Amino acid sequence: MEKGSIRDAIASRRSIRRFTKEPVDAGELVSILQVAFFAPAPHHTIPWRFAVVVDEAAKRRLAESMAARWREDMRRDGIDPKRSSVLSDKSIQKLTNAPALILACLVTQGLDTYPDRRRQDAELGMALLSLGAAIQNIMLAAAEAGYGSCWIAAPIFAPEEARESLQLPSEWIPQALLIIGRPDPCYIPRSRPDLDLDSFVSVI
């Protein structure tokens, strides 16, 4: 990507769901992850951790464990088993075909503790917002390095399965997954809609 404005850099980030077979360079991956730690965080903490998954067997364990949880949720929702199987198999394929996965996890280390639920939930909310900022940094850095990425929500619906499949520490709470690789040149991202900001922004 050519050097330009911050706006151009942000606009260059697209959700890419298909990749070439080229592996993600280890040195570039480290550089990409470093920018996560520039994200703002509550109380000068670092309330997130990242598990980088490039091993094929580990990718499959992670994908299949979350898919199993999803199938069970769909069964409880009364979704047809055939459709459930198609959806979960498609999810497994998307994750296992990606050259690299980054599992983003929340930790509560360093966060303030309150006796009431309202303030404790707010404290956790600050950490979650911080994790989102860190993930955005990673995706922007990946785009600058010529990699595509896509934010996958599956871990927030299956945190125990995700954590156990990779044998991560018990205090790591999986929240999101990034798939990363060189974009498949045949893949065309969805067009961004034209937005009327007046419908989304209130100036007071």
Side-chain angles (χ1 to χ4, degrees):
M1 186 181 68
E2 293 182 0
K3 297 294 183 181
S5 68
I6 291 176
R7 185 185 185 91
D8 291 338
I10 293 172
S12 73
R13 188 217 59 81
R14 302 306 309 273
S15 293
I16 304 298
R17 294 171 174 83
R18 289 209 312 267
F19 309 96
T20 68
K21 295 296 185 181
E22 180 184 343
V24 180
D25 180 83
E28 287 185 311
L29 190 54
V30 169
S31 179
I32 288 168
L33 284 168
Q34 283 177 334
V35 302
F37 298 89
F38 301 153
H43 320 308
H44 306 288
T45 61
I46 303 177
W48 16 264
R49 304 290 185 269
F50 300 104
V52 179
V53 188
V54 294
D55 177 75
E56 296 301 326
K59 284 193 287 187
R60 181 159 292 279
R61 286 199 311 271
L62 175 60
E64 291 183 347
S65 68
M66 293 190 299
R69 174 74 269 174
W70 190 20
R71 283 194 298 270
E72 176 59 20
D73 288 341
M74 287 190 284
R75 184 190 68 78
R76 292 175 182 273
D77 291 341
I79 294 175
D80 180 82
K82 290 183 179 180
R83 174 165 172 74
S84 170
S85 180
V86 169
L87 290 172
S88 60
D89 287 350
K90 185 177 180 181
S91 175
I92 291 171
Q93 184 179 30
K94 179 166 57 179
L95 269 54
T96 54
N97 285 344
L101 309 177
I102 299 177
L103 181 64
C105 302
L106 187 72
V107 295
T108 59
Q109 179 182 342
L111 298 181
D112 288 347
T113 302
Y114 295 97
D116 58 280
R117 180 67 178 270
R118 176 181 61 84
R119 287 184 293 172
Q120 199 60 57
D121 285 350
E123 187 75 10
L124 185 63
M126 287 195 296
L128 285 168
L129 290 170
S130 175
L131 176 60
I135 291 172
Q136 175 80 336
N137 283 1
I138 292 172
M139 298 179 81
L140 290 172
E144 182 182 35
Y147 291 102
S149 66
C150 185
W151 185 325
I152 305 296
I156 202 170
F157 294 99
E160 294 84 4
E161 290 79 3
R163 180 175 59 243
E164 292 172 5
S165 71
L166 299 179
Q167 298 182 322
L168 298 174
S170 59
E171 62 269 22
W172 289 27
I173 308 170
Q175 296 292 307
L177 185 70
L178 296 179
I179 54 176
I180 293 183
R182 296 291 184 193
D184 182 338
C186 296
Y187 181 76
I188 301 175
R190 295 177 183 176
S191 299
R192 286 193 171 108
D194 292 328
L195 298 178
D196 176 9
L197 287 184
D198 289 341
S199 300
F200 298 91
V201 178
S202 177
V203 179
I204 301 170

